[in-house]
Amino acid sequence: MMEAAGAEKYQVLVAGAGPVGMCTAIDLALRGVSVFICEPRAPDQYGVGKVNLTNARSMEHFRRWGIADRLRANDPIPSTVIRDLTMSTRANGFIIFNAVGGNEWREPMPIASEKPEWAPFQAIEKTLRERVLELPNITFSSFSSAVDFVQDEKGVELTYEKDGQTKTVSGQYLVVADGPYSSLRRKINLRLEGETIFRNFSWYFRAPELSKLFEKTQLSSHTFFLNDDAYGDLLAPQSENDHWVYMVSPTPEGVDPKDWDTVKKMLFRSVGQEFETSEEQGWEWGSHARMTRTFNFGRAFLAGDAAHLTPPFGGFGMNMGVGDAADLGWKISAMLDGWGGPQLLESYTLERREVCKFIIEGSVHNNRLWGKALVKEYMEEDSERGEQVRAEVRDVIIKEKTQQFKSLGAQFGYRYTGSPIIVGDGSELPPLHYGDYIPTSIPGYRAPHVWLQKEDSLYDHFGTGFCLLVLCAEVDTAPLEAAADDAGLPLKVWRLDNADVRAQYDRKLTLIRPDQHVAWRGDALPDDCRHLVDVVRGAAQYR
């Protein structure tokens, strides 16, 4: 590859400064990597109405990146909006089901170092953008659109357009995070393969009087409507200034999603009365179940919506991409620091694609079981018969749809057990479950979480490299430390005497990766510690 004259040089190039691109840039920068990230929007321009939930697993990464509390501080939604997920007939009708804490837990849970945060998309992007702009080794190029790239065995050159000019930057790796319509993905002829479940639409608007119309039910962070109209619609507050998003999935037959007058009438019916609106903007979108066949393309890596699309019912669209960033960041950094092996980056697709497939399948189930599928005759009737019908619908929701609001298995219970950089121990694997989560220290799983004291998480002590958690005093860890040092692999040895931790970890020794997943465990070190080190850094196959 001929390097363009005058091209600026960085270690990693990121195309797209949506949440996933920014998460990747932050993870890399905190590991000392120089990053160039380009974005068509202005530095202070944020999206609206697309994402509201940063789930607990993503918040654990936000905690590592120093922005979990900042996101909470940037959340503009007042505390008068209860962070529940409510299903009612209409705003002035009957509550059918209420998932308490369905969007945001009331209190910290033992299983996680963070609570989920329900905050509108502009708060999420603002939080990430602030972090990007304050890290000195990230160069943020606004009003810049990635248009092409070339690569060879030495590096990558990215071409982008800014201010009517074509410019070029060079780096060793490229992260493609420019969304579902990625121009760079199309350049390499990778398609998002799968199906479109439904066509949907959303409208963002301001309505100062709307919050007062929920007095009979409850003003929640998400209100889903189930009534005779069967629109499959929901309302969610979006700002401290009475902005809302109204979403319909799927688009009803005969409805023009671009016609606000028609959509407004639907909205008024679901709320139960008319009210003033302004600042309306709407868009169409799809519930997709799609992935590319690989997330790797030489020195380029697809992340977020450029690699996979999921229905929104479960809240994993952005959150899957945050998981991509957490998996990819430490691996690219390892290669740049010289201790990553030739199989390390190959493991990115092998780990993340199976996880995304599992989550997408569960989210498809959530999306299909909605709207007309949950509507029954008489459910709006103020009578004993009506209450009986609502109870029947409530039972169906609890049995079939609770996983959408709970999703603990999809957040914490996914696994990388088939990865070539995980050393398994032959333990029987628990079944995958979208809704339920049982902590386990089996290699490939997220390390079990424990609170050591109030606000003192076990995860806070792992560090940024590998961590050997030692739960007994008599083990000599010197052979593994020497092997790690010889390979250049960053390793922290942490000896801990804690009964709660021992109750969650089944072995005396647990090797934990930089992304908080278990790489290996045992009651004694292996005979060949160098081989173990080489496997987990992608330099050898496990034998």
Side-chain angles (χ1 to χ4, degrees):
M1 179 181 70
M2 293 292 292
E3 190 170 292
E8 296 181 5
K9 297 180 181 179
Y10 301 87
Q11 290 177 293
V12 177
L13 315 174
V14 180
V20 176
M22 289 191 286
C23 285
T24 308
I26 291 167
D27 191 275
L28 287 163
L30 292 174
R31 300 180 189 280
V33 176
S34 66
V35 181
F36 171 88
I37 183 168
C38 62
E39 167 61 34
R41 296 173 294 171
D44 60 351
Q45 184 181 356
Y46 313 121
V48 296
K50 295 182 179 180
V51 177
N52 292 284
L53 178 65
T54 306
N55 69 25
R57 180 56 179 149
S58 292
M59 286 294 285
E60 289 184 329
H61 295 309
F62 277 36
R63 184 186 184 101
R64 288 196 297 116
W65 299 330
I67 53 175
D69 287 338
R70 186 183 298 188
L71 176 58
R72 282 186 276 266
N74 282 337
D75 179 6
I77 307 299
S79 59
T80 52
V81 176
I82 302 171
R83 266 55 174 183
D84 291 352
L85 194 153
T86 304
M87 294 186 175
S88 61
T89 54
R90 302 182 193 272
N92 60 358
F94 300 95
I95 291 179
I96 298 172
F97 174 80
N98 186 59
V100 176
N103 283 327
E104 198 173 293
W105 306 336
R106 300 287 196 269
E107 300 292 336
M109 290 182 67
I111 61 172
S113 66
E114 283 289 344
K115 298 185 296 181
E117 175 62 21
W118 189 92
F121 192 46
Q122 59 266 36
I124 297 170
E125 289 213 305
K126 181 177 187 289
T127 300
L128 291 165
R129 194 73 54 80
E130 288 173 345
R131 190 64 165 136
V132 163
L133 294 176
E134 72 188 19
L135 289 170
N137 47 338
I138 297 179
T139 297
F140 180 86
S141 181
S142 57
F143 306 109
S144 302
S145 300
V147 294
D148 202 358
F149 76 96
V150 293
Q151 63 175 314
D152 61 17
E153 69 280 0
K154 294 181 180 180
V156 184
E157 282 189 357
L158 174 68
T159 302
Y160 66 99
E161 294 179 350
K162 180 182 176 72
D163 300 328
Q165 296 182 322
T166 299
K167 301 187 177 185
T168 302
V169 287
S170 65
Q172 291 180 258
Y173 298 101
L174 169 66
V175 178
V176 178
D178 54 349
Y181 304 107
S182 169
S183 60
L184 298 187
R185 188 192 64 239
R186 291 197 294 269
K187 292 284 184 181
I188 56 179
N189 201 29
L190 277 175
R191 296 186 300 112
L192 285 166
E193 300 178 2
E195 62 176 327
T196 298
I197 310 301
F198 294 125
R199 295 300 303 173
N200 320 297
F201 66 85
S202 298
W203 278 83
Y204 181 81
F205 60 92
R206 186 164 185 251
E209 300 300 315
L210 179 52
S211 61
K212 301 174 184 178
L213 306 182
F214 284 79
E215 292 181 357
K216 188 177 178 182
T217 52
Q218 173 177 302
L219 179 56
S220 296
S221 51
H222 266 127
T223 299
F224 293 78
F225 297 113
L226 293 172
N227 51 50
D228 295 338
D229 295 323
Y231 293 148
D233 51 348
L234 68 85
L235 262 176
Q238 293 291 292
S239 78
E240 72 279 21
N241 297 319
D242 301 304
H243 289 91
W244 300 73
V245 66
Y246 178 60
M247 185 189 99
V248 177
S249 176
T251 299
E253 187 175 350
V255 170
D256 180 1
K258 299 178 182 179
D259 181 3
W260 173 241
D261 287 338
T262 298
V263 173
K264 184 167 60 174
K265 291 175 183 178
M266 295 169 61
L267 171 62
F268 289 166
R269 283 190 59 81
S270 290
V271 171
Q273 67 183 83
E274 296 185 4
F275 49 90
E276 292 295 322
T277 68
S278 62
E279 302 175 28
E280 302 93 350
Q281 55 178 299
W283 60 95
E284 293 182 83
W285 51 279
S287 289
H288 300 288
R290 297 179 181 274
M291 289 193 296
T292 56
R293 293 188 178 186
T294 180
F295 301 169
N296 291 52
F297 188 78
R299 290 180 170 268
F301 307 91
L302 304 179
D305 287 354
H308 44 70
L309 295 173
T310 184
F313 286 68
F316 278 96
M318 178 195 76
N319 290 295
M320 284 200 305
V322 175
D324 295 345
D327 187 89
L328 188 56
W330 75 267
K331 293 175 179 177
I332 291 178
S333 177
M335 300 303 294
L336 294 169
D337 289 341
W339 58 268
Q343 296 182 61
L344 186 60
L345 289 175
E346 293 179 5
S347 70
Y348 172 58
T349 291
L350 297 174
E351 292 183 349
R352 292 302 302 164
R353 197 175 188 279
E354 284 303 306
V355 169
C356 293
K357 180 175 181 290
F358 160 61
I359 293 173
I360 289 170
E361 288 173 351
S363 299
V364 167
H365 169 81
N366 297 338
N367 203 163
R368 290 193 190 280
L369 187 63
W370 178 236
K372 291 182 179 180
L374 291 174
V375 171
K376 285 194 171 187
E377 192 177 9
Y378 310 120
M379 66 189 306
E380 293 193 75
E381 194 173 87
D382 187 6
S383 65
E384 184 176 337
R385 178 173 65 178
E387 179 53 40
Q388 176 62 38
V389 171
R390 289 189 290 275
E392 292 172 1
V393 174
R394 186 181 306 118
D395 289 343
V396 172
I397 292 170
I398 292 171
K399 181 180 179 182
E400 298 291 341
K401 207 165 176 63
T402 300
Q403 71 165 31
Q404 176 181 327
F405 325 129
K406 198 174 176 183
S407 71
L408 297 181
Q411 291 184 57
F412 305 121
Y414 63 87
R415 60 199 186 200
Y416 298 148
T417 48
S419 172
I421 61 171
I422 295 294
V423 180
D425 62 2
S427 298
E428 182 177 354
L429 303 181
L432 286 170
H433 194 284
Y434 190 101
D436 296 326
Y437 168 65
I438 299 175
T440 177
S441 65
I442 292 174
Y445 284 82
R446 165 184 166 274
H449 177 265
V450 177
W451 288 107
L452 303 179
Q453 296 180 39
K454 185 178 181 180
E455 299 183 3
D456 184 13
S457 165
L458 180 75
Y459 288 0
D460 295 341
H461 300 268
F462 286 166
T464 59
F466 278 77
C467 178
L468 181 66
L469 181 61
V470 183
L471 300 179
C472 62
E474 67 273 13
V475 174
D476 178 14
T477 60
L480 184 61
E481 293 179 69
D485 185 66
D486 187 53
L489 181 140
L491 176 67
K492 172 182 178 178
V493 176
W494 185 24
R495 297 181 182 273
L496 182 63
D497 182 10
N498 184 293
D500 292 335
V501 176
R502 285 195 296 272
Q504 294 293 330
Y505 287 78
D506 299 333
R507 304 291 187 271
K508 297 175 181 178
L509 303 168
T510 306
L511 184 62
I512 299 162
R513 306 189 329 181
D515 60 355
Q516 301 166 342
H517 280 257
V518 176
W520 168 88
R521 67 177 183 174
D523 286 323
L525 290 177
D527 294 335
D528 189 346
C529 285
R530 180 54 192 260
H531 180 63
L532 171 60
V533 168
D534 285 345
V535 171
V536 300
R537 69 185 183 93
Q541 292 185 338
Y542 180 64
R543 58 175 185 265

